[in-house]
Amino acid sequence: MATAVCALPGCHKPVWYSAGVQHDYCGRTHAQQALGQIPEPHGHCHTCNLDGCEEQVYFDEQTGRVHDFCCKSHADLAIESGEWRASQKRRRTSYGEQRCALPGCSAPRYMDDNGTVHDFCGRSHAILAKQRGLTGTTAGLPIAQERPETVDRVYSGGGSDSYTIAVLTRQHPKYENIKQQFLDSWTHPGPKPHVRRLLQVRNSYEVYGQYQSYHAKRSRQGYPSEVRRFHGTSLSAQCSFGVDLRATPCSQNDCAVCGICRLGFDLDRRNPNGANRMMLRYGDGHYFSKTSSKSNDYAGQSQRVISGR
């Protein structure tokens, strides 16, 4: 049964139940706000965006600004860990809000004499990014060329692999939709997981070209368009990519996550023990589900303990 959500526009929290009575709002604060008893903006009902902190965000009554965190130290910690992107408002350049693509650097990107804006502030940061397995944000997704704030960083495949993996920010147009679909389709009992980050894979040009060709063929034949589904798989015990933003994609043979990033979904390269481990019901193939919690049942080896949690 679907859970009723707060009637205040923009709030997705469940409504408050008391003594068997279902209220229209998630709490007294949103009820007062809806009735105009609390002027906007305010910070009374917003919690710190640092994962694990439940304190109220800082609200500057003098300026009316609602901050994203309860204090500056939590803001710095979230930015350092990659959970939040630093504001670019103070470092605007004459050619837009485009800061250096090296995480942690807020300097403007270098513009050469021809008017070309490069991904980094200078050669030293371009070299440092390459050493960390990163590339310019515009290399990962076409949208980053026009809206660089939608991508936090982009990992580059090593060796001859030309795939890229972009860490999306909350400003990306697909971020909230994907996150909400994942949470809404989680049907297992118990609390729902917390979505820490979203990564988008752009496979090698060869693999991506095959996808485009197949997609065009199916479209000409009149088949329905694509639908988004979930796939659970394993991460090598030696790999922490996606969990630790300092880690790059690995090349371990037993790492299905990084293998899919490099090569796409390929039955010839799947784990030879996968069929026995997953108890495939319908024979060889790649299994997807519209239910995120069902796919998560097959991702047990991808779980990691972070800070005791």
Side-chain angles (χ1 to χ4, degrees):
M1 181 178 67
T3 302
V5 298
C6 178
L8 184 71
C11 179
H12 302 288
K13 293 181 179 179
V15 296
W16 173 255
Y17 285 88
S18 177
V21 177
Q22 175 180 310
H23 294 260
D24 294 323
Y25 303 93
C26 61
R28 183 176 298 173
T29 302
H30 275 189
Q32 292 175 336
Q33 183 179 337
L35 295 173
Q37 298 175 359
I38 298 180
E40 287 220 45
H42 67 89
H44 301 102
C45 64
H46 304 285
T47 56
C48 178
N49 282 281
L50 181 68
D51 188 28
C53 180
E54 300 297 332
E55 295 294 326
Q56 290 182 356
V57 297
Y58 177 71
F59 175 52
D60 189 341
E61 296 183 356
Q62 298 295 325
T63 63
R65 179 185 175 186
V66 179
H67 289 254
D68 296 312
F69 301 91
C70 62
C71 58
K72 187 177 184 300
S73 61
H74 275 195
D76 293 339
L77 184 60
I79 294 171
E80 182 181 355
S81 65
E83 292 184 24
W84 202 263
R85 184 165 183 166
S87 173
Q88 302 180 55
K89 293 182 179 179
R90 297 182 180 178
R91 297 304 300 268
R92 293 190 180 187
T93 69
S94 59
Y95 44 89
E97 296 182 10
Q98 299 188 37
R99 66 177 178 87
C100 178
L102 183 71
C105 179
S106 58
R109 299 184 181 188
Y110 172 69
M111 177 189 287
D112 60 27
D113 295 337
N114 297 322
T116 301
V117 180
H118 295 258
D119 287 312
F120 302 94
C121 60
R123 182 172 298 177
S124 61
H125 274 192
I127 295 175
L128 183 58
K130 185 176 181 180
Q131 292 173 346
R132 295 180 180 178
L134 301 172
T135 186
T137 53
T138 57
L141 298 172
I143 189 176
Q145 298 180 13
E146 299 181 0
R147 298 180 57 189
E149 74 278 3
T150 62
V151 177
D152 176 73
R153 66 193 69 189
V154 179
Y155 300 94
S156 176
S160 59
D161 298 323
S162 59
Y163 72 95
T164 57
I165 305 174
V167 180
L168 308 185
T169 68
R170 287 175 169 82
Q171 286 72 40
H172 193 281
K174 292 184 178 180
Y175 186 96
E176 289 299 331
N177 182 266
I178 295 174
K179 174 182 175 181
Q180 201 59 46
Q181 180 185 352
F182 180 86
L183 296 175
D184 289 345
S185 64
W186 187 280
T187 60
H188 284 14
K192 294 184 178 182
H194 174 70
V195 178
R196 297 194 56 144
R197 59 182 62 98
L198 296 180
L199 289 77
Q200 184 168 352
V201 180
R202 173 59 63 88
N203 293 116
S204 66
Y205 293 112
E206 178 184 359
V207 174
Y208 189 63
Q210 292 173 355
Y211 151 75
Q212 288 182 311
S213 176
Y214 180 77
H215 183 269
K217 176 182 177 181
R218 301 291 284 181
S219 296
R220 290 193 301 268
Q221 295 173 342
Y223 286 94
S225 58
E226 298 170 298
V227 291
R228 186 186 299 140
R229 292 293 181 260
F230 299 100
H231 176 78
T233 191
S234 61
L235 195 70
S236 171
Q238 290 75 39
C239 180
S240 58
F241 176 66
V243 180
D244 185 349
L245 285 178
R246 296 168 297 181
T248 58
C250 75
S251 56
Q252 301 287 334
N253 291 330
D254 62 339
C255 188
V257 169
C258 294
I260 292 172
C261 293
R262 293 198 317 271
L263 307 167
F265 289 93
D266 191 337
L267 282 175
D268 294 334
R269 294 186 175 94
R270 68 181 175 86
N271 189 332
N273 298 321
N276 294 330
R277 185 181 73 247
M278 295 189 290
M279 300 176 63
L280 302 180
R281 295 183 178 180
Y282 307 106
D284 277 352
H286 296 299
Y287 285 64
F288 299 84
S289 175
K290 65 179 181 180
T291 305
S292 57
S293 53
K294 180 61 178 179
S295 294
N296 187 67
D297 291 341
Y298 299 92
Q301 295 185 26
S302 296
Q303 297 176 357
R304 296 289 186 274
V305 177
I306 305 175
S307 302
R309 294 181 287 118

